Coordinates of all heavy atoms in Angstrom, one line a residue:
M1 N 24.2 -12.8 -7.3 CA 23.1 -12.2 -7.9 C 23.3 -11.9 -9.3 O 22.3 -11.7 -10.0 CB 22.8 -10.9 -7.1 CG 21.9 -11.0 -5.9 SD 21.5 -9.5 -5.1 CE 21.2 -8.4 -6.4
N2 N 24.5 -11.8 -9.8 CA 24.8 -11.3 -11.1 C 24.1 -12.2 -12.2 O 23.5 -11.7 -13.1 CB 26.3 -11.3 -11.4 CG 26.9 -10.1 -10.7 OD1 26.2 -9.1 -10.4 ND2 28.2 -10.1 -10.4
P3 N 24.1 -13.5 -12.1 CA 23.4 -14.3 -13.1 C 21.9 -14.2 -13.0 O 21.2 -14.4 -14.0 CB 23.9 -15.7 -12.9 CG 24.5 -15.8 -11.6 CD 24.8 -14.4 -11.2
L4 N 21.3 -13.8 -11.9 CA 19.9 -13.8 -11.7 C 19.3 -12.4 -11.9 O 18.1 -12.3 -12.4 CB 19.5 -14.3 -10.3 CG 20.0 -15.7 -9.9 CD1 19.7 -16.0 -8.5 CD2 19.3 -16.7 -10.8
V5 N 20.0 -11.4 -11.6 CA 19.5 -10.0 -11.7 C 20.2 -9.3 -12.8 O 21.4 -9.1 -12.7 CB 19.6 -9.3 -10.4 CG1 19.1 -7.9 -10.5 CG2 18.9 -10.0 -9.3
P6 N 19.5 -8.9 -13.9 CA 20.2 -8.2 -15.0 C 20.7 -6.8 -14.5 O 20.2 -6.2 -13.5 CB 19.1 -8.0 -16.0 CG 17.8 -8.3 -15.4 CD 18.1 -9.1 -14.1
G7 N 21.7 -6.3 -15.2 CA 22.3 -5.1 -14.8 C 21.4 -3.9 -14.9 O 21.6 -2.8 -14.3
D8 N 20.3 -3.9 -15.7 CA 19.4 -2.8 -15.9 C 18.2 -2.9 -15.0 O 17.2 -2.2 -15.2 CB 19.0 -2.6 -17.4 CG 18.3 -3.9 -17.9 OD1 18.3 -4.9 -17.2 OD2 17.7 -3.7 -19.0
A9 N 18.2 -3.8 -14.0 CA 17.1 -4.0 -13.1 C 16.9 -2.8 -12.2 O 17.9 -2.0 -12.0 CB 17.3 -5.2 -12.2
V10 N 15.7 -2.6 -11.7 CA 15.4 -1.5 -10.8 C 15.0 -2.1 -9.5 O 14.2 -3.0 -9.5 CB 14.3 -0.6 -11.4 CG1 13.8 0.4 -10.4 CG2 14.7 0.0 -12.7
L11 N 15.5 -1.6 -8.4 CA 15.2 -2.0 -7.1 C 14.2 -1.1 -6.4 O 14.4 0.1 -6.3 CB 16.5 -2.1 -6.2 CG 16.3 -2.5 -4.8 CD1 15.7 -3.9 -4.7 CD2 17.6 -2.4 -4.0
C12 N 13.1 -1.6 -6.0 CA 12.0 -0.9 -5.3 C 12.0 -1.5 -3.9 O 11.8 -2.7 -3.7 CB 10.7 -1.0 -5.9 SG 10.6 -0.3 -7.6
S13 N 12.2 -0.6 -2.9 CA 12.2 -1.1 -1.5 C 11.6 -0.1 -0.5 O 11.2 1.0 -1.0 CB 13.6 -1.4 -1.1 OG 14.3 -0.2 -0.8
D14 N 11.6 -0.4 0.7 CA 11.1 0.5 1.8 C 12.2 1.5 2.2 O 11.9 2.3 3.1 CB 10.6 -0.3 3.0 CG 11.7 -1.1 3.6 OD1 12.8 -1.2 3.2 OD2 11.3 -1.8 4.6
G15 N 13.4 1.4 1.6 CA 14.4 2.4 1.9 C 15.3 2.0 3.1 O 16.1 2.8 3.5
G16 N 15.3 0.7 3.5 CA 16.2 0.3 4.5 C 17.7 0.4 4.1 O 18.0 0.4 2.9
N17 N 18.6 0.5 5.1 CA 20.0 0.7 4.8 C 20.6 -0.4 3.9 O 21.4 -0.2 3.1 CB 20.8 0.9 6.0 CG 20.5 2.2 6.7 OD1 20.1 3.2 6.0 ND2 20.7 2.3 8.0
G18 N 20.1 -1.6 4.2 CA 20.6 -2.8 3.4 C 20.3 -2.7 2.0 O 21.2 -3.0 1.1
Y19 N 19.1 -2.2 1.6 CA 18.8 -2.0 0.2 C 19.6 -0.9 -0.4 O 20.0 -1.0 -1.6 CB 17.3 -1.7 0.1 CG 16.4 -2.9 0.6 CD1 15.5 -2.7 1.6 CD2 16.4 -4.1 -0.1 CE1 14.7 -3.7 2.0 CE2 15.6 -5.2 0.4 CZ 14.7 -4.9 1.4 OH 13.9 -6.0 1.8
R20 N 19.8 0.1 0.3 CA 20.6 1.3 -0.2 C 22.0 0.8 -0.5 O 22.6 1.1 -1.6 CB 20.6 2.4 0.7 CG 19.3 3.1 0.9 CD 19.4 4.2 2.0 NE 18.1 4.6 2.5 CZ 17.5 5.7 2.1 NH1 18.0 6.4 1.2 NH2 16.3 5.9 2.6
T21 N 22.6 0.0 0.4 CA 23.9 -0.5 0.2 C 24.0 -1.5 -1.0 O 24.9 -1.4 -1.8 CB 24.4 -1.2 1.5 OG1 24.3 -0.3 2.6 CG2 25.8 -1.7 1.4
L22 N 23.0 -2.3 -1.1 CA 22.9 -3.3 -2.2 C 22.8 -2.6 -3.5 O 23.5 -2.9 -4.5 CB 21.7 -4.2 -2.0 CG 21.5 -5.2 -3.2 CD1 22.6 -6.2 -3.3 CD2 20.1 -5.8 -3.0
A23 N 22.0 -1.6 -3.6 CA 21.8 -0.8 -4.8 C 23.1 -0.1 -5.2 O 23.5 -0.1 -6.4 CB 20.6 0.2 -4.7
A24 N 23.8 0.4 -4.3 CA 25.0 1.1 -4.6 C 26.1 0.1 -5.0 O 26.8 0.4 -6.0 CB 25.5 1.9 -3.4
A25 N 26.2 -1.0 -4.3 CA 27.2 -2.0 -4.7 C 27.0 -2.6 -6.0 O 27.9 -2.9 -6.7 CB 27.2 -3.1 -3.6
R26 N 25.7 -2.8 -6.4 CA 25.4 -3.4 -7.7 C 25.1 -2.4 -8.8 O 24.7 -2.8 -9.9 CB 24.2 -4.4 -7.6 CG 24.4 -5.5 -6.6 CD 25.4 -6.5 -7.1 NE 25.6 -7.5 -6.2 CZ 26.4 -8.5 -6.3 NH1 27.1 -8.6 -7.4 NH2 26.6 -9.4 -5.4
C27 N 25.2 -1.1 -8.5 CA 24.9 0.0 -9.5 C 23.5 -0.2 -10.0 O 23.3 0.0 -11.2 CB 26.0 0.0 -10.6 SG 27.6 0.3 -10.0
L28 N 22.6 -0.5 -9.1 CA 21.2 -0.6 -9.5 C 20.4 0.8 -9.2 O 20.7 1.4 -8.2 CB 20.5 -1.7 -8.7 CG 20.9 -3.1 -8.9 CD1 20.2 -4.0 -7.9 CD2 20.7 -3.5 -10.3
E29 N 19.5 1.1 -10.1 CA 18.6 2.2 -9.8 C 17.7 1.8 -8.7 O 17.1 0.8 -8.6 CB 17.8 2.6 -11.1 CG 17.1 3.9 -11.0 CD 16.5 4.3 -12.3 OE1 16.6 3.5 -13.3 OE2 16.0 5.4 -12.4
H30 N 17.6 2.7 -7.7 CA 16.8 2.4 -6.4 C 15.7 3.4 -6.2 O 16.0 4.6 -6.2 CB 17.8 2.4 -5.3 CG 17.2 2.0 -4.0 ND1 17.5 2.6 -2.8 CD2 16.2 1.1 -3.6 CE1 16.8 2.1 -1.8 NE2 16.0 1.2 -2.3
F31 N 14.5 2.9 -6.0 CA 13.4 3.8 -5.7 C 12.8 3.4 -4.3 O 12.6 2.2 -4.1 CB 12.3 3.7 -6.7 CG 12.6 4.3 -8.1 CD1 13.1 3.5 -9.1 CD2 12.5 5.7 -8.2 CE1 13.4 4.1 -10.3 CE2 12.8 6.3 -9.4 CZ 13.3 5.5 -10.5
V32 N 12.6 4.3 -3.5 CA 12.1 4.1 -2.2 C 10.5 4.2 -2.3 O 10.0 5.3 -2.7 CB 12.6 5.0 -1.1 CG1 12.0 4.8 0.2 CG2 14.1 4.8 -1.0
V33 N 9.8 3.2 -1.9 CA 8.4 3.1 -2.0 C 7.8 3.1 -0.6 O 8.2 2.3 0.3 CB 7.9 1.9 -2.7 CG1 6.4 1.8 -2.9 CG2 8.6 1.8 -4.1
G34 N 6.9 4.0 -0.3 CA 6.3 4.1 1.0 C 5.1 3.2 1.2 O 4.7 2.5 0.3
S35 N 4.6 3.1 2.4 CA 3.5 2.2 2.7 C 2.2 3.0 2.9 O 1.2 2.4 3.1 CB 3.8 1.4 3.9 OG 4.0 2.2 5.0
K36 N 2.3 4.3 3.0 CA 1.1 5.1 3.2 C 0.5 5.5 1.8 O 1.2 5.6 0.8 CB 1.5 6.3 4.0 CG 1.9 6.0 5.4 CD 2.3 7.2 6.2 CE 2.8 6.8 7.6 NZ 3.3 7.9 8.3
P37 N -0.8 5.7 1.8 CA -1.5 6.1 0.6 C -0.8 7.4 0.0 O -0.4 8.3 0.8 CB -2.9 6.4 1.0 CG -3.1 5.6 2.2 CD -1.8 5.5 2.9
G38 N -0.6 7.4 -1.3 CA 0.1 8.6 -1.9 C 1.6 8.4 -2.1 O 2.2 9.1 -2.8
T39 N 2.1 7.4 -1.4 CA 3.6 7.1 -1.5 C 3.9 5.7 -2.0 O 5.0 5.3 -2.0 CB 4.3 7.3 -0.1 OG1 3.8 6.3 0.8 CG2 4.0 8.7 0.5
R40 N 2.8 5.0 -2.4 CA 3.0 3.6 -2.8 C 3.5 3.5 -4.2 O 3.9 2.4 -4.6 CB 1.7 2.8 -2.6 CG 1.3 2.7 -1.2 CD 0.1 1.9 -1.0 NE -0.2 1.7 0.4 CZ -1.5 1.8 0.9 NH1 -2.5 2.0 0.1 NH2 -1.7 1.7 2.2
V41 N 3.4 4.5 -5.0 CA 3.9 4.5 -6.4 C 4.9 5.7 -6.5 O 4.6 6.8 -6.2 CB 2.7 4.7 -7.4 CG1 3.2 4.8 -8.8 CG2 1.7 3.6 -7.2
V42 N 6.0 5.4 -7.1 CA 7.1 6.3 -7.3 C 7.4 6.5 -8.8 O 7.4 5.5 -9.5 CB 8.4 5.9 -6.5 CG1 9.5 6.9 -6.7 CG2 8.1 5.7 -5.1
A43 N 7.6 7.7 -9.2 CA 7.9 8.1 -10.6 C 6.8 7.6 -11.5 O 7.1 7.3 -12.7 CB 9.2 7.5 -11.0
G44 N 5.6 7.4 -11.0 CA 4.5 7.1 -11.9 C 4.3 5.6 -12.2 O 3.3 5.2 -12.7
C45 N 5.3 4.8 -12.0 CA 5.2 3.4 -12.4 C 5.9 2.4 -11.5 O 5.7 1.2 -11.6 CB 5.7 3.2 -13.8 SG 7.5 3.5 -14.0
Y46 N 6.7 2.8 -10.5 CA 7.4 1.8 -9.7 C 6.6 1.6 -8.4 O 6.4 2.6 -7.7 CB 8.8 2.3 -9.4 CG 9.7 2.4 -10.6 CD1 10.0 3.7 -11.1 CD2 10.1 1.3 -11.3 CE1 10.8 3.8 -12.3 CE2 10.9 1.4 -12.4 CZ 11.2 2.6 -12.9 OH 12.0 2.7 -14.0
H47 N 6.3 0.4 -8.1 CA 5.5 0.0 -6.9 C 5.8 -1.5 -6.6 O 6.5 -2.2 -7.3 CB 4.0 0.2 -7.1 CG 3.5 -0.6 -8.3 ND1 3.1 -1.9 -8.2 CD2 3.4 -0.3 -9.6 CE1 2.7 -2.3 -9.3 NE2 2.8 -1.4 -10.2
I48 N 5.3 -1.9 -5.4 CA 5.5 -3.3 -5.0 C 4.2 -4.0 -4.8 O 4.1 -5.0 -4.2 CB 6.4 -3.4 -3.7 CG1 5.8 -2.6 -2.6 CG2 7.8 -2.9 -4.0 CD1 6.4 -2.8 -1.2
Q49 N 3.1 -3.4 -5.3 CA 1.8 -3.9 -5.1 C 1.6 -5.3 -5.7 O 0.9 -6.1 -5.2 CB 0.7 -3.0 -5.5 CG 0.7 -1.7 -4.7 CD 0.7 -1.9 -3.2 OE1 -0.2 -2.6 -2.8 NE2 1.6 -1.3 -2.5
N50 N 2.3 -5.5 -6.9 CA 2.2 -6.9 -7.5 C 2.8 -7.9 -6.6 O 2.2 -9.0 -6.5 CB 3.0 -6.9 -8.8 CG 2.3 -6.0 -9.9 OD1 1.3 -5.5 -9.6 ND2 2.9 -6.0 -11.0
V51 N 3.8 -7.7 -5.9 CA 4.4 -8.6 -5.0 C 3.5 -8.9 -3.8 O 3.2 -10.0 -3.4 CB 5.8 -8.1 -4.5 CG1 6.3 -9.0 -3.4 CG2 6.8 -8.0 -5.6
N52 N 2.9 -7.8 -3.3 CA 2.0 -7.9 -2.1 C 0.7 -8.7 -2.6 O 0.3 -9.6 -1.8 CB 1.5 -6.6 -1.6 CG 2.7 -5.8 -1.0 OD1 3.7 -6.4 -0.6 ND2 2.5 -4.5 -0.9
S53 N 0.2 -8.5 -3.8 CA -0.9 -9.2 -4.3 C -0.6 -10.7 -4.5 O -1.4 -11.6 -4.1 CB -1.4 -8.6 -5.6 OG -2.4 -9.3 -6.2
L54 N 0.5 -11.0 -5.1 CA 0.9 -12.4 -5.3 C 1.0 -13.1 -4.0 O 0.6 -14.3 -3.9 CB 2.3 -12.4 -6.0 CG 2.8 -13.8 -6.4 CD1 1.8 -14.5 -7.3 CD2 4.1 -13.7 -7.1
R55 N 1.6 -12.5 -3.0 CA 1.8 -13.2 -1.7 C 0.4 -13.4 -1.1 O 0.1 -14.5 -0.5 CB 2.6 -12.3 -0.7 CG 2.9 -13.1 0.5 CD 3.0 -12.1 1.7 NE 3.1 -12.9 3.0 CZ 2.1 -13.3 3.7 NH1 0.9 -13.1 3.2 NH2 2.3 -14.0 4.8
A56 N -0.5 -12.5 -1.2 CA -1.9 -12.6 -0.6 C -2.6 -13.8 -1.3 O -3.3 -14.6 -0.7 CB -2.6 -11.3 -0.7
R57 N -2.5 -13.8 -2.7 CA -3.2 -14.8 -3.4 C -2.6 -16.2 -3.1 O -3.4 -17.2 -3.0 CB -3.0 -14.6 -4.9 CG -3.9 -13.4 -5.4 CD -4.0 -13.3 -6.9 NE -2.7 -13.7 -7.5 CZ -2.3 -13.2 -8.7 NH1 -2.9 -12.3 -9.3 NH2 -1.2 -13.7 -9.2
Y58 N -1.3 -16.3 -2.9 CA -0.7 -17.6 -2.5 C -1.2 -18.0 -1.2 O -1.5 -19.2 -1.0 CB 0.8 -17.4 -2.5 CG 1.5 -18.7 -2.0 CD1 1.6 -19.8 -2.8 CD2 2.0 -18.8 -0.7 CE1 2.2 -21.0 -2.4 CE2 2.6 -19.9 -0.2 CZ 2.7 -21.0 -1.1 OH 3.3 -22.2 -0.6
G59 N -1.3 -17.1 -0.2 CA -1.8 -17.4 1.1 C -3.2 -18.0 1.0 O -3.6 -18.9 1.7
R60 N -4.1 -17.3 0.2 CA -5.5 -17.8 0.1 C -5.5 -19.2 -0.6 O -6.3 -20.0 -0.3 CB -6.3 -16.8 -0.7 CG -6.7 -15.6 0.1 CD -7.7 -14.8 -0.6 NE -7.3 -14.3 -2.0 CZ -6.7 -13.2 -2.2 NH1 -6.4 -12.4 -1.2 NH2 -6.3 -12.9 -3.4
F61 N -4.6 -19.4 -1.6 CA -4.6 -20.7 -2.3 C -4.1 -21.8 -1.3 O -4.7 -22.9 -1.3 CB -3.6 -20.6 -3.5 CG -3.3 -22.0 -4.1 CD1 -4.2 -22.6 -4.9 CD2 -2.1 -22.6 -3.8 CE1 -3.9 -23.8 -5.5 CE2 -1.8 -23.8 -4.3 CZ -2.7 -24.4 -5.2
I62 N -3.1 -21.6 -0.5 CA -2.5 -22.7 0.3 C -3.3 -23.0 1.5 O -3.2 -24.1 2.1 CB -1.0 -22.3 0.6 CG1 -0.2 -23.6 0.9 CG2 -0.9 -21.4 1.7 CD1 0.0 -24.4 -0.3
K63 N -4.1 -22.1 2.0 CA -4.9 -22.2 3.3 C -5.7 -23.5 3.3 O -5.6 -24.2 4.4 CB -5.8 -21.0 3.5 CG -6.3 -21.0 4.9 CD -7.0 -19.7 5.2 CE -7.4 -19.7 6.7 NZ -7.9 -18.5 7.1
P64 N -6.4 -23.9 2.3 CA -7.2 -25.2 2.4 C -6.3 -26.4 2.6 O -6.7 -27.5 3.0 CB -7.9 -25.3 1.1 CG -8.0 -23.9 0.6 CD -6.7 -23.2 1.1
F65 N -5.0 -26.4 2.2 CA -4.2 -27.5 2.3 C -3.5 -27.7 3.6 O -2.8 -28.7 3.8 CB -3.1 -27.4 1.2 CG -3.6 -27.4 -0.2 CD1 -3.7 -26.2 -0.9 CD2 -4.2 -28.5 -0.8 CE1 -4.2 -26.2 -2.2 CE2 -4.7 -28.5 -2.1 CZ -4.7 -27.3 -2.8
C66 N -3.7 -26.8 4.5 CA -3.1 -26.9 5.9 C -3.9 -27.9 6.7 O -5.0 -27.6 7.1 CB -3.1 -25.5 6.6 SG -2.0 -24.3 5.7
G67 N -3.4 -29.1 6.8 CA -4.1 -30.1 7.5 C -3.1 -30.9 8.4 O -2.1 -30.3 8.8
P68 N -3.4 -32.1 8.6 CA -2.5 -32.9 9.4 C -1.2 -33.2 8.7 O -1.1 -33.3 7.5 CB -3.3 -34.2 9.6 CG -4.2 -34.3 8.5 CD -4.6 -32.9 8.1
A69 N -0.2 -33.3 9.5 CA 1.1 -33.6 9.0 C 1.1 -35.0 8.4 O 0.4 -35.9 8.9 CB 2.2 -33.5 10.0
T70 N 2.0 -35.3 7.4 CA 2.1 -36.6 6.8 C 2.3 -37.7 7.9 O 1.7 -38.8 7.8 CB 3.2 -36.6 5.8 OG1 2.9 -35.6 4.8 CG2 3.2 -37.9 5.0
K71 N 3.1 -37.4 8.9 CA 3.5 -38.4 9.9 C 2.2 -38.8 10.7 O 2.2 -39.9 11.3 CB 4.6 -37.9 10.8 CG 4.2 -36.8 11.6 CD 5.4 -36.3 12.5 CE 4.9 -35.2 13.4 NZ 6.0 -34.7 14.3
N72 N 1.2 -38.0 10.7 CA 0.0 -38.3 11.5 C -1.2 -38.9 10.7 O -2.2 -39.1 11.2 CB -0.5 -37.0 12.2 CG 0.5 -36.4 13.1 OD1 1.3 -37.2 13.8 ND2 0.6 -35.1 13.3
L73 N -1.0 -39.1 9.4 CA -2.1 -39.5 8.6 C -2.6 -40.9 9.0 O -3.8 -41.2 8.9 CB -1.6 -39.6 7.1 CG -1.5 -38.2 6.4 CD1 -1.1 -38.4 5.0 CD2 -2.8 -37.4 6.5
N74 N -1.8 -41.8 9.5 CA -2.3 -43.1 9.9 C -3.3 -43.0 11.0 O -4.3 -43.8 11.1 CB -1.1 -44.0 10.4 CG -0.3 -44.5 9.2 OD1 -0.7 -44.5 8.1 ND2 0.9 -44.8 9.5
G75 N -3.2 -42.0 11.9 CA -4.2 -41.8 12.9 C -5.6 -41.4 12.4 O -6.6 -41.6 13.1
Y76 N -5.7 -40.9 11.2 CA -6.9 -40.4 10.6 C -7.6 -41.5 9.8 O -8.8 -41.4 9.4 CB -6.7 -39.2 9.7 CG -6.4 -38.0 10.5 CD1 -5.1 -37.6 10.8 CD2 -7.4 -37.1 10.9 CE1 -4.8 -36.5 11.6 CE2 -7.1 -36.0 11.7 CZ -5.8 -35.7 12.0 OH -5.6 -34.5 12.7
T77 N -6.9 -42.6 9.5 CA -7.5 -43.7 8.7 C -8.0 -44.8 9.5 O -8.6 -45.8 8.9 CB -6.4 -44.2 7.7 OG1 -5.3 -44.7 8.4 CG2 -6.0 -43.1 6.7
R78 N -8.0 -44.8 10.8 CA -8.5 -45.9 11.6 C -9.9 -45.7 11.9 O -10.5 -44.8 12.0 CB -7.7 -46.0 12.9 CG -6.3 -46.4 12.6 CD -5.5 -46.6 13.9 NE -4.1 -46.8 13.5 CZ -3.2 -46.8 14.4 NH1 -3.4 -46.5 15.6 NH2 -1.9 -47.0 14.0

């Protein structure tokens, strides 16, 4: 992780033990973000809504492309 995650990165998570251990081992600042209204933003600016939004937008984008597998395309051209 060292080449990918800068030393001044901030970890926002749901507070699972694995995240706590990772933050302690890497000396990362760790904020626990809740899933209920009023707990989704910590310290006024730390949240994970951008990640959730990106995943939802990707899902909407990729949905029309879910069709037959490449191996079955010959059956559709006859």
Side-chain angles (χ1 to χ4, degrees):
M1 276 183 40
N2 287 335
L4 300 176
V5 180
D8 61 347
V10 175
L11 176 63
C12 296
S13 74
D14 62 357
N17 289 335
Y19 295 119
R20 292 176 199 261
T21 305
L22 174 68
R26 300 289 179 183
C27 298
L28 296 174
E29 192 172 5
H30 182 218
F31 289 98
V32 177
V33 180
S35 60
K36 295 181 181 172
T39 65
R40 292 182 179 140
V41 178
V42 178
C45 65
Y46 296 110
H47 58 86
I48 58 171
Q49 297 308 308
N50 291 359
V51 174
N52 293 341
S53 174
L54 182 61
R55 189 212 171 275
R57 287 189 330 210
Y58 175 76
R60 285 192 302 270
F61 168 78
I62 204 71
K63 190 169 186 171
F65 299 105
C66 294
T70 304
K71 67 180 183 179
N72 298 329
L73 286 179
N74 287 337
Y76 288 90
T77 58
R78 293 182 185 167

